[in-house]
Amino acid sequence: MMGMLVDMVVAILAVALVGVSYLAYRKSHMRAALYLALAFILFALKKVVEISAEGGAIERDIGLIVDFLEVLVLLLFLMAIWRR
């Protein structure tokens, strides 16, 4: 129960970071901020998938999906750093 609560807080923080990154992109038009916003969207999606699996809404093995989303998030972080 506590783990799911922590996952929900992490997902909410990720969504908040999407908003901050998007506002930074709108103000500066830097692609790095856009890459960060996309990375945080994918991170929030990853957390939603994990929470759904823990809650029983998804009955399949989500390991491959979660791993793929993690790789995408890391690639977007790398692109944000590299493009800056």
Side-chain angles (χ1 to χ4, degrees):
M1 181 66 176
M2 189 63 149
M4 190 178 291
L5 181 63
V6 171
D7 283 343
M8 288 171 48
V9 169
V10 169
I12 291 168
L13 286 173
V15 170
L17 288 170
V18 168
V20 170
S21 299
Y22 181 71
L23 289 175
Y25 172 72
R26 282 188 46 198
K27 186 175 183 179
S28 68
H29 295 288
M30 290 178 55
R31 269 187 207 236
L34 186 60
Y35 292 142
L36 288 176
L38 291 173
F40 288 126
I41 286 172
L42 290 178
F43 188 76
L45 178 66
K46 175 184 158 301
K47 280 299 173 185
V48 168
V49 168
E50 288 176 344
I51 291 168
S52 298
E54 286 178 19
I58 300 175
E59 296 180 3
R60 293 181 170 207
D61 183 28
I62 61 162
L64 184 61
I65 294 169
V66 169
D67 291 343
F68 182 69
L69 287 172
E70 284 179 3
V71 168
L72 287 177
V73 167
L74 291 175
L75 284 175
L76 285 168
F77 281 145
L78 178 65
M79 287 178 66
I81 292 170
W82 188 20
R83 288 290 199 185
R84 191 144 204 277

